[in-house]
Amino acid sequence: MPYITVCGGETFEVDMGTKLVLALEDNGVNILHRCGGNAICTTCRVEVLAGDYLDITNKEKKAFENKGIDDQLFDDCLRLSCQILVNGDITVRPILTVENTGKTVGPRPAD
Ligand code: FES
């Protein structure tokens, strides 16, 4: 089973195919997900620091472009954690959390 390492945090093991945003939330990371995992809000974005997860989808590109996020940034390392199924080890840095924004999470994304 793959391991997720959170920058500055813990490492935990998850079932293959677990949605990254849910894996983070269920392991104590209060990452935002304000659109319920529909690739609209981009608040669930993470910086991928290690792991083979850099092929961004068109759905993610469109979401980032709609939010005015620089394409160099998302080409290099940003992904939407609601769009990633964990199928290998990954190290991430969550960008927006309840703690660093003071915002609340939205509906829980589907499994
Ligand atoms: S883009 Fe909104 S939860 Fe992922």
Side-chain angles (χ1 to χ4, degrees), residues 33 35 37 39-42 44 82:
H33 49 75
C35 72
I40 297 170
C41 69
T42 73
C44 68
C82 70

Side-chain angles (χ1 to χ4, degrees), residues 78-92:
L78 286 185
R79 296 289 312 269
L80 296 179
S81 63
C82 70
Q83 301 300 306
I84 292 179
L85 300 179
V86 180
N87 56 21
D89 295 350
I90 186 170
T91 300
V92 297

Side-chain angles (χ1 to χ4, degrees), residues 9 12 28 31 38 40-41 47 55-56 61 64 70 75 83-84 90 105-106 110:
F12 44 85
I31 188 163
N38 291 306
I40 297 170
C41 69
E47 182 180 5
D55 292 332
I56 190 167
K61 276 186 186 172
F64 284 134
D70 184 271
D75 275 351
Q83 301 300 306
I84 292 179
I90 186 170
V105 300

